[in-house]
Amino acid sequence: MLNTKAQVSKATVRRIPLYYRAVQQLQQQGVSRIRSDRLSELIHIPSATIRRDFSSFGELGKSGYGYSVGTLVDEFGKLLDVHTKEEMLLVGVGGLGAALMENNFRRNPDLNITMAFDADPAKVGTTVAGIPVYDFKTLRQHLTPAIHTAILAVPSTSQTAVVTALEAAGVNAILTFAPQPVVCGPDTTIRYIDLTSELQSLLFVAHQKGAHDRVH
Amino acid sequence: MLNTKAQVSKATVRRIPLYYRAVQQLQQQGVSRIRSDRLSELIHIPSATIRRDFSSFGELGKSGYGYSVGTLVDEFGKLLDVHTKEEMLLVGVGGLGAALMENNFRRNPDLNITMAFDADPAKVGTTVAGIPVYDFKTLRQHLTPAIHTAILAVPSTSQTAVVTALEAAGVNAILTFAPQPVVCGPDTTIRYIDLTSELQSLLFVAHQKGAHDRVH
């Protein structure tokens, strides 16, 4: 299954994390088989799209009988899992940045933040959880050819300048906690984690649920 | 528009955060009008669904001519925004928990973590960014009737026990950073932010992009 990666469309690839989350939740709820029409209701993707996507990964289940939830969890997990060592840098050693350096994605031992950058002279030259903090101005001096990925925990106002400098230095995969969307080059992939929006979405759904409960 | 909330289906409600993110990015890219068929390509939701969803919010644009991106950003932003004061509690005052208390969703002044809980005697009785840290065992003593929302920054192994205790105490909206899905009651809404999965999804898409670039 993993070998078919190159033939899978970009749109399908983007849906994999969504499928993965959904089947993990089904497994946790004790569901062992799922049909595409039921999955469609859960994740709001047309069932024809789901069947086409799943068929591009090979034999995941039989039409009509449903897909094995356990198999889907295993296969999507394998597909998303990073098995090659991935060295990363972090920019912005505030409270959140330092917490990320301490945690360092320890659930996946192949993912490691190996250096950090900040503009604050009080932080430059220190280490956090054994990871050195350098001056962001010296990015190119410290960057190694193995690093193409950055975690950003900088203020929104700094984000565009930081992304531009990172792109120029060859970093093309960026996970950021600053919500303001940035215009980046076609070779760069940015993923935003907007904590305030996540919280607002949660509250919106929870309030809606409460409103529904009161109405019915 | 905000008054139509109660008539909007649950499935539509779940898509609003997705629409909001997409139109914010379009606005940032300088796009002023968007047709449903183009938006469909961007977010992988059928254009008929998009048109039906948007029509349930009233006059957002004219079919054929497209929707005003600026109007969509404003309206979805208003819909998701929390304008009522929302007091929240946090459980798990480690590095991440403390960083969240310090930041305290300051982008939205109506969202406030007002108390925190931990099981570690070294943390109980302290304050972080002016917010008191109590023993999780004393949850019910400190909980006020205004609090229905919790942020969880606890280890995965503690998550089920913490969620069960929160539900029993009347907290029914939970934002958690522990990735393991939890079985909760029908009145509880849980939103997961799985940082390792987000990073793996980013790397998956970035590697895929790299593979495409090499092929073509």
Side-chain angles (χ1 to χ4, degrees), chain A residues 42-54:
Chain A
L42 291 176
I43 58 177
H44 319 301
I45 289 175
S47 55
T49 306
I50 294 174
R51 286 194 298 274
R52 198 180 56 232
D53 283 352
F54 285 15

Side-chain angles (χ1 to χ4, degrees), chain A residues 110-133:
Chain A
D110 287 333
L111 301 175
N112 285 299
I113 300 168
T114 56
M115 59 180 72
F117 295 88
D118 204 290
D120 181 355
K123 286 170 189 162
V124 170
T126 65
T127 65
V128 174
I131 302 163
V133 181

Side-chain angles (χ1 to χ4, degrees), chain B residues 58-126:
Chain B
E59 279 305 312
L60 290 184
K62 283 184 184 138
S63 176
Y65 183 54
Y67 300 94
S68 154
V69 172
T71 303
L72 292 175
V73 168
D74 289 350
E75 293 298 329
F76 289 130
K78 267 188 251 167
L79 211 50
L80 286 178
D81 212 359
V82 176
H83 289 296
T84 49
K85 289 269 173 207
E86 190 77 39
E87 284 185 44
M88 304 173 293
L89 64 88
L90 178 140
V91 187
V93 189
L96 179 61
L100 294 168
M101 291 162 79
E102 274 154 27
N103 182 284
N104 211 347
F105 305 95
R106 70 172 74 99
R107 188 151 64 85
N108 183 334
D110 286 333
L111 302 175
N112 285 298
I113 299 168
T114 56
M115 59 180 73
F117 296 89
D118 204 291
D120 182 354
K123 286 170 188 160
V124 171
T126 64

Side-chain angles (χ1 to χ4, degrees), chain B:
Chain B
M1 172 170 166
L2 288 169
N3 295 333
T4 65
K5 256 192 191 183
Q7 299 142 35
V8 175
S9 83
K10 212 163 140 183
T12 299
V13 164
R14 292 225 179 95
R15 284 188 285 267
I16 292 175
L18 192 61
Y19 291 142
Y20 185 51
R21 159 73 55 216
V23 294
Q24 275 184 306
Q25 289 187 345
L26 289 167
Q27 189 177 48
Q28 187 73 15
Q29 288 159 17
V31 177
S32 61
R33 298 201 80 82
I34 184 88
R35 289 166 49 115
S36 58
D37 52 354
R38 175 79 187 107
L39 190 57
S40 172
E41 288 166 18
L42 291 177
I43 58 178
H44 318 302
I45 288 175
S47 55
T49 306
I50 295 174
R51 285 193 299 274
R52 196 181 58 232
D53 283 351
F54 285 14
S55 71
S56 68
F57 299 118
E59 279 305 312
L60 290 184
K62 283 184 184 138
S63 176
Y65 183 54
Y67 300 94
S68 154
V69 172
T71 303
L72 292 175
V73 168
D74 289 350
E75 293 298 329
F76 289 130
K78 267 188 251 167
L79 211 50
L80 286 178
D81 212 359
V82 176
H83 289 296
T84 49
K85 289 269 173 207
E86 190 77 39
E87 284 185 44
M88 304 173 293
L89 64 88
L90 178 140
V91 187
V93 189
L96 179 61
L100 294 168
M101 291 162 79
E102 274 154 27
N103 182 284
N104 211 347
F105 305 95
R106 70 172 74 99
R107 188 151 64 85
N108 183 334
D110 286 333
L111 302 175
N112 285 298
I113 299 168
T114 56
M115 59 180 73
F117 296 89
D118 204 291
D120 182 354
K123 286 170 188 160
V124 171
T126 64
T127 64
V128 174
I131 302 163
V133 180
Y134 303 120
D135 189 338
F136 188 66
K137 281 186 199 137
T138 65
L139 173 68
R140 279 164 181 271
Q141 282 162 244
H142 292 99
L143 201 62
T144 62
I147 301 187
H148 300 286
T149 305
I151 319 290
L152 263 58
V154 300
S156 276
T157 48
S158 313
Q159 172 137 293
T160 298
V162 169
V163 168
T164 303
L166 288 170
E167 283 190 294
V171 174
N172 57 18
I174 297 172
L175 186 73
T176 180
F177 292 85
Q180 206 58 46
V182 175
V183 179
C184 65
D187 297 334
T188 304
T189 308
I190 303 187
R191 199 168 175 102
Y192 299 87
I193 300 181
D194 179 349
L195 299 178
T196 302
S197 276
E198 293 287 342
L199 179 58
Q200 292 187 164
S201 297
L202 164 75
L203 293 170
F204 182 70
V205 175
H207 290 171
Q208 188 81 10
K209 203 182 255 186
H212 270 269
D213 291 347
R214 281 193 292 277
V215 169
H216 300 297

